[in-house]
Amino acid sequence: MFTEKKNVLELIALLKAHKIEHAVLCPGSRDIPIVQGISQCPDISCYSVTDERSAGFFALGIIMSLKKPCAVVVTSGSALLNLHPAVSEAFYRQLPLLVISADRSLAWIGQMDGQTVNQTNVFNSLVKYSGTLNEIKDATDKWLCNRVCNEALLALNEKPFAPVHLNVPISDPFFSFNEEKLPDVRVISKLELSKLKEVIQKHQKIMVVIGQNDIDYRLTIYDKEALSKKYAVYCEHIGNAQHDGFISAGDGIFSKITTDNNKHIPDLVISLGGHIVSKQLKQFIRKIDCTHIEINDDGKVYDVFQKLQYIVKASFKEAINYLCSVTDINSRLTSKDFAFSKAPEHIDIPFSQIGITKLFLSKINFPCYLHLANSSTVRYASYFKVPSFINVHSNRGINGIEGSLSAAVGSACAIPNMLHFILIGDLSFFYDMNALWNPQLTKNLRVILFNNSGGEIFSALPGLSLNDKAKNFVTAPHNATGKAWAQECGFKTYKVTDNEAFIGILDDFICNDGSNKFIEVFTDKEKDMAALKFFKEQLKLNSINV
């Protein structure tokens, strides 16, 4: 029988799955659920050592002799601190020592309760990975616990070797052992790129997700054609691999797919590149039953879809070349299966931020740089096509409002022979307005400032209801305008309050005449939200039955 503590069950099941075959067990009370569980696993050889100082070095002896990882399990409090010399030795000799420490509930740390010290990151720079297996109360807790444990055990087994520490909080009571068997757990594994074909060929509906790509290899037309013939390929503008044969505008497509419609459900998702903007795509993949393979050049765990099973360590270019070259693929899922919406470009949108975004993007049909600020701007742009010869950039690493304008200015200064356009909201602009106060500013920058006197996107958050006082703090209303500052910084300025005015000045705005230009688009928050709602309704009305 095993403990009822679910985080401990997850730990023991993954120790078995990752083939940890040796464990040194130290006596105590708080670690009883761990020790009792590991000792019942016939494929883990257990050794009892009372003195933790000795136990750590005992484990190192096993590692040196068998050239395999070894775990050492200790109870809470000073027991863990006694492992410091052994952990130091293991770090400087590059030995795969796994430290597992039982801990008290976080609520009791620092409260003068017995055998409590702050055990999180206690080894600091002497371990290559330190994680906490949180107690499990819901599905998100379970996912986090599983991911952290997988990350730790993958790190333990990867060269260069070094110690790894897993801290396991166990709250009272913890002496119930009523579980008859260990649970089935998700195991995340490393996979060689050369072995990827074997996994691909086991699946019939394959989707490739290309994330943000700023400075890596850019797909050729051959790459795009080859990928589109083999897989359903999703790529947003910030992936800089635009192609008519790819899926884009995730929030306009995946929100309409039900998980019981097998036609649109991939059984294998392969992701590469960086961040994804679309919340709907993430939510869609999280709900379905599929295998997820993440390809990245650092071999780390990025489990954004909560379905990760394999990690492939490879460069973006290597991954693209491999995916293009794989033969004998029987995928029955292509990008055409997702072409069931009326083209957003054909929907007439009332004057609003999303409407102006559509008008502007339909006009830039020449090589240039397009910078999209957070947060609504980058989302609105994702609904509409952008030609492949336009470079698209956005600060999606953290998704904060700071620095979007500065990044665009830096890019424009670095490449002065091309136009650089930035679409930016008012809070982002005023937060970063000093970016225009720059003596190195070149004459190739075009700014479209959407000014609706506050953070409109916060008003659109589903389920959010605020009174007037709270709303003022959340949406940051203001009456500021950018015109005077833009003029002070040498920009030619325009004011827009309707679609006709915007269309009237657009040709002059995009003309490369050796000057900087600035359009301030004044909209109304409520009308912006109404236009967005109208646009989404039109997308649904014009969708083929999915």
Side-chain angles (χ1 to χ4, degrees):
M1 303 293 280
F2 294 91
T3 178
E4 294 178 348
K5 297 296 181 181
K6 294 180 181 178
N7 57 342
V8 175
L9 293 174
E10 201 81 11
L11 166 66
I12 299 172
L14 284 169
L15 289 177
K16 286 168 56 68
H18 284 272
K19 296 181 170 50
I20 303 301
E21 300 173 353
H22 301 272
V24 180
L25 308 178
C26 299
S29 61
R30 190 63 48 168
D31 64 343
I32 287 175
I34 304 173
V35 169
Q36 186 265 355
I38 291 178
S39 66
Q40 294 189 86
C41 298
D43 42 0
I44 301 180
S45 298
C46 296
Y47 311 84
S48 177
V49 179
T50 301
D51 188 327
E52 292 88 4
R53 294 170 299 177
S54 177
F57 286 98
F58 186 99
L60 296 190
I62 294 173
I63 296 169
M64 289 183 289
S65 296
L66 300 180
K67 295 179 173 54
K68 292 182 178 181
C70 181
V72 56
V73 180
V74 299
T75 194
S76 63
S78 60
L80 178 61
L81 305 182
N82 286 323
L83 288 178
H84 238 114
V87 171
S88 301
E89 182 73 12
F91 179 79
Y92 287 108
R93 289 174 63 186
Q94 297 186 347
L95 298 176
L97 175 67
L98 173 61
V99 177
I100 300 172
S101 57
D103 198 0
R104 301 295 176 112
S105 172
L106 178 63
W108 291 105
I109 305 302
Q111 299 304 304
M112 296 187 181
D113 196 37
Q115 287 187 300
T116 57
V117 297
N118 190 342
Q119 298 181 189
T120 305
N121 295 318
V122 70
F123 297 116
N124 200 359
S125 60
L126 296 174
V127 292
K128 70 188 298 188
Y129 185 95
S130 180
T132 297
L133 301 186
N134 58 292
E135 296 197 88
I136 297 174
K137 301 180 182 65
D138 56 31
T140 301
D141 286 341
K142 179 177 173 60
W143 166 71
L144 176 59
C145 180
N146 175 274
R147 175 174 62 78
V148 169
C149 195
N150 270 294
E151 285 178 343
L153 296 176
L154 286 170
L156 181 73
N157 285 289
E158 188 171 52
K159 292 183 177 180
F161 296 130
V164 165
H165 176 209
L166 281 174
N167 194 51
V168 189
I170 300 173
S171 60
D172 296 318
F174 57 91
F175 294 144
S176 297
F177 304 100
N178 298 315
E179 295 293 327
E180 295 183 0
K181 62 179 182 178
L182 294 172
D184 293 329
V185 291
R186 177 187 61 154
V187 181
I188 301 175
S189 305
K190 297 282 186 176
L191 183 69
E192 295 293 329
L193 184 61
S194 60
K195 302 291 185 181
L196 180 56
K197 179 179 178 179
E198 298 175 13
V199 180
I200 291 177
Q201 289 179 329
K202 294 178 182 178
H203 295 81
Q204 296 183 326
K205 291 186 289 183
I206 306 164
M207 175 179 287
V208 173
V209 177
I210 300 176
Q212 184 166 16
N213 180 20
D214 290 305
I215 63 174
D216 217 320
Y217 172 75
R218 294 299 172 88
L219 273 63
T220 66
I221 188 62
Y222 166 79
D223 296 331
K224 297 174 184 179
E225 293 292 339
L227 289 172
S228 64
K229 290 177 182 177
K230 296 174 184 287
Y231 320 96
V233 182
Y234 176 84
C235 182
E236 297 169 338
H237 299 331
I238 59 175
N240 283 296
Q242 298 89 337
H243 183 57
D244 288 342
F246 290 174
I247 310 163
S248 59
D251 284 355
I253 293 176
F254 293 101
S255 60
K256 296 189 286 293
I257 301 175
T258 58
T259 54
D260 58 354
N261 188 333
N262 291 329
K263 178 181 178 182
H264 300 97
I265 307 299
D267 57 8
L268 174 63
V269 175
I270 302 172
S271 62
L272 62 156
H275 292 257
I276 296 295
V277 175
S278 174
K279 288 184 179 180
Q280 294 292 348
L281 172 67
K282 297 172 188 174
Q283 293 169 352
F284 169 72
I285 297 177
R286 289 169 188 170
K287 291 177 183 177
I288 64 177
D289 183 16
C290 70
T291 297
H292 174 212
I293 300 174
E294 162 70 15
I295 306 176
N296 57 59
D297 56 10
D298 58 15
K300 291 185 179 179
V301 172
Y302 299 110
D303 191 24
V304 68
F305 301 129
Q306 300 182 316
K307 300 288 182 181
L308 186 61
Q309 291 187 31
Y310 297 102
I311 303 166
V312 177
K313 186 175 182 180
S315 71
F316 186 82
K317 183 177 181 179
E318 289 171 336
I320 292 295
N321 290 342
Y322 186 91
L323 292 171
C324 289
S325 65
V326 174
T327 56
D328 304 322
I329 296 176
N330 301 312
S331 180
R332 301 202 308 265
L333 191 68
T334 68
S335 301
K336 292 180 181 178
D337 293 313
F338 295 87
F340 46 73
S341 290
K342 179 179 179 181
E345 287 78 9
H346 298 157
I347 298 175
D348 291 326
I349 307 173
F351 176 68
S352 58
Q353 292 190 7
I354 190 170
I356 292 296
T357 300
K358 174 204 161 189
L359 290 173
F360 171 71
L361 294 181
S362 67
K363 190 71 175 179
I364 51 170
N365 55 2
F366 50 87
C368 62
Y369 280 77
L370 174 63
H371 302 268
L372 301 170
N374 290 312
S375 167
S376 57
T377 309
V378 67
R379 297 187 186 282
Y380 293 165
S382 70
Y383 285 102
F384 310 104
K385 290 182 179 180
V386 170
S388 60
F389 47 73
I390 293 177
N391 293 281
V392 184
H393 299 283
S394 180
N395 289 354
R396 295 300 295 178
I398 303 297
N399 309 348
I401 67 169
E402 68 280 351
S404 294
L405 189 58
S406 291
V409 170
S411 181
C413 289
I415 305 180
N417 61 334
M418 293 186 70
L419 287 180
H420 291 250
F421 296 92
I422 177 167
L423 277 60
I424 188 168
D426 45 9
L427 295 188
S428 295
F429 175 82
F430 292 119
Y431 197 97
D432 195 24
M433 62 190 293
N434 274 354
L436 302 185
W437 181 45
N438 190 323
Q440 301 170 100
L441 200 65
T442 46
K443 302 294 184 180
N444 58 332
L445 185 62
R446 303 287 186 274
V447 180
I448 297 181
L449 167 59
F450 293 111
N451 191 342
N452 61 6
S453 303
E456 151 267 329
I457 195 168
F458 302 121
S459 302
L461 294 175
L464 178 63
S465 179
L466 298 170
N467 60 34
D468 289 341
K469 183 176 181 180
K471 192 172 183 179
N472 284 338
F473 291 110
V474 172
T475 62
H478 64 84
N479 294 310
T481 65
K483 176 182 177 180
W485 178 241
Q487 289 178 339
E488 183 69 23
C489 295
F491 282 71
K492 180 179 180 180
T493 62
Y494 311 81
K495 178 180 178 180
V496 166
T497 56
D498 55 51
N499 285 340
E500 291 71 23
F502 184 75
I503 294 170
I505 55 94
L506 198 47
D507 284 336
D508 184 58
F509 179 72
I510 66 175
C511 176
N512 192 356
D513 56 6
S515 64
N516 288 326
K517 300 176 184 180
F518 177 95
I519 297 178
E520 190 160 12
V521 180
F522 290 92
T523 62
D524 176 83
K525 288 190 190 73
E526 299 300 326
K527 292 181 179 179
D528 281 334
M529 290 297 95
L532 179 61
K533 181 179 179 181
F534 167 80
F535 172 71
K536 290 182 176 181
E537 288 174 348
Q538 288 299 304
L539 284 178
K540 290 182 179 180
L541 287 174
N542 290 284
S543 297
I544 299 171
N545 184 16
V546 296

